[in-house]
Amino acid sequence: MTAKRALITGITGQDGSYLAEFLLDKGYEVVGFVRSSSTDTYERIEHLTDRITIIGGDMVDSGSLMRAIKAAEPHEIYNLASQSYVYASFGQPAETAEVTAVGVARILDAVREIDPSIRFYQASSSEMFGSNSFESQNEDTPFAPCSPYAIAKVFGHLFTQHYRQAYDMYAVSGILFNHESPRRGIRFVTRKVTDGVARIKHGQAETLELGNMAAQRDWGFAGDYVRAMWMMLQQDEPRDYVIATGESHSVEELCQVAFARAGLDYHDHVRVDPKYFRPSDVPFLRGDPSRARTEIGWEPTVGFHDLVAMMVDADLARVAHGRPVLTPS
């Protein structure tokens, strides 16, 4: 029996690396689409490079996307490529739109032209819900994006729905709430906190500067969330799903748990600096994953406290051994 083939854009990032591992364990042939001019390294997938195929290209170049799809001949495509840092999108709105929004249209149209039977997964984001007033967000919650990143994600989400409806393609979006791991880039608050804890514990720093401590997010483990991506493409009918834990925690609680893991009190080390506040912030996000639990049988396996402990322990070991932090992703 011929192995299934998957093409992953954004394979060098946190989610791409976990997804590649997951699919290889399932017996897939995995092809990664990597930006030819990227300054990112392959550090997250270094242990996989002898088991996967890499194709260079760019999400802003339709020709390179078409060549990659023709070369890979995938059964499934997972589009994880984006300018993924919300804060940076305020300073790079046009680049964010080109990659995170229009890039989705380019790859969907390439699939439609080359082989519309390919199953397509789009990485949507809880940031699309923005400043809504709902106690939790599900698949029917209205979008209220508050950043160029979130606006771009809404564009990609709606384009995916359009191609599903207009061209009868198996194209779905996973509305993933925040998901973290020891492979998370240093620009994200969870990793900034756990890296700060490790440096302070080992005497390399005394303080950690953060922005809005009151912001609340629904944080889960990236390894659980890539499993949901795959499960969404195995269903008889294409449908979008919210993937979340159903719990929300504040940045302040994140700090409390992370510093306590290392035997420290966050009050002694954390300082709030207004320069880290976003021009327009999302105060609260909590996902309702009921549909995913009921219809595809997905459940998270790692809770908030275990996730934070995992990340702190990994950073404590990294700093102790003098290893560099991962490149942003």
Side-chain angles (χ1 to χ4, degrees):
M1 182 177 178
T2 303
K4 275 190 174 182
R5 290 181 301 279
L7 176 64
I8 304 173
T9 70
I11 196 171
T12 60
Q14 170 191 256
D15 291 5
S17 66
Y18 278 110
L19 180 60
E21 286 178 344
F22 179 86
L23 294 177
L24 288 168
D25 287 344
K26 288 285 184 184
Y28 278 64
E29 295 177 5
V30 174
V31 180
F33 183 76
V34 177
R35 188 172 56 178
S36 301
S37 59
S38 175
T39 57
D40 289 350
T41 68
Y42 291 2
E43 55 199 333
R44 292 179 180 83
I45 58 169
E46 194 170 12
H47 60 299
L48 304 175
T49 52
D50 62 339
R51 303 174 60 195
I52 63 179
T53 301
I54 297 294
I55 297 177
D58 201 307
M59 293 295 292
V60 304
D61 178 6
S62 297
S64 70
L65 285 167
M66 295 187 73
R67 288 190 294 273
I69 295 170
K70 289 177 180 178
E73 296 184 315
H75 301 92
E76 299 170 358
I77 293 177
Y78 297 84
N79 183 38
L80 311 184
S82 72
Q83 191 298 102
S84 59
Y85 186 42
V86 177
Y87 185 83
S89 75
F90 287 98
Q92 302 170 338
E95 178 184 347
T96 299
E98 274 292 336
V99 175
T100 308
V102 185
V104 182
R106 293 188 184 98
I107 194 169
L108 277 167
D109 208 54
V111 171
R112 180 187 64 84
E113 183 171 332
I114 295 168
D115 182 0
S117 72
I118 296 171
R119 296 195 169 198
F120 177 84
Y121 172 86
Q122 164 62 15
S124 288
S125 169
S126 59
E127 288 287 330
M128 300 188 304
F129 295 121
S131 57
N132 67 79
S133 59
F134 293 82
E135 290 187 3
S136 63
Q137 297 84 40
N138 62 26
E139 294 82 0
D140 298 319
T141 303
F143 297 141
C146 290
S147 67
Y149 169 82
I151 293 168
K153 281 295 186 181
V154 170
F155 179 101
H157 183 85
L158 296 178
F159 241 84
T160 302
Q161 290 183 335
H162 169 68
Y163 271 68
R164 180 169 71 229
Q165 296 161 2
Y167 303 111
D168 196 28
M169 291 168 54
Y170 196 111
V172 300
S173 291
I175 308 174
L176 273 58
F177 280 63
N178 297 66
H179 46 288
E180 317 298 321
S181 76
R183 299 180 191 174
R184 177 54 101 182
I186 193 64
R187 295 183 301 185
F188 291 81
V189 68
T190 48
R191 190 66 194 286
K192 184 176 180 180
V193 168
T194 61
D195 173 70
V197 167
R199 290 186 296 107
I200 291 169
K201 182 68 174 180
H202 287 293
Q204 297 183 10
E206 294 183 359
T207 60
L208 173 65
E209 295 182 345
L210 296 172
N212 183 8
M213 298 284 283
Q216 296 185 50
R217 293 292 184 270
D218 185 330
W219 281 300
F221 173 52
D224 285 337
Y225 287 49
V226 301
R227 174 167 45 87
M229 298 176 189
W230 174 79
M231 293 175 75
M232 289 178 63
L233 291 193
Q234 312 313 307
Q235 306 306 306
D236 291 335
E237 298 294 331
R239 198 172 191 193
D240 303 331
Y241 291 95
V242 161
I243 305 299
T245 70
E247 300 178 2
S248 61
H249 302 269
S250 67
V251 175
E252 185 170 13
E253 184 180 357
L254 167 67
C255 290
Q256 179 183 3
V257 174
F259 277 85
R261 179 70 179 180
L264 302 169
D265 186 337
Y266 81 98
H267 291 101
D268 297 332
H269 304 284
V270 175
R271 306 288 182 266
V272 174
D273 190 328
K275 73 180 181 182
Y276 292 113
F277 281 70
R278 299 175 185 174
S280 176
D281 204 356
V282 177
F284 174 85
L285 289 172
R286 180 173 66 218
D288 175 6
S290 299
R291 180 187 290 179
R293 284 179 167 142
T294 301
E295 296 187 4
I296 67 175
W298 179 83
E299 292 278 356
T301 66
V302 178
F304 174 73
H305 287 79
D306 288 339
L307 172 64
V308 176
M310 176 199 306
M311 295 178 67
V312 170
D313 291 352
D315 273 325
L316 286 169
R318 177 186 58 80
V319 173
H321 290 90
R323 296 194 298 269
V325 72
L326 291 171
T327 53
S329 178

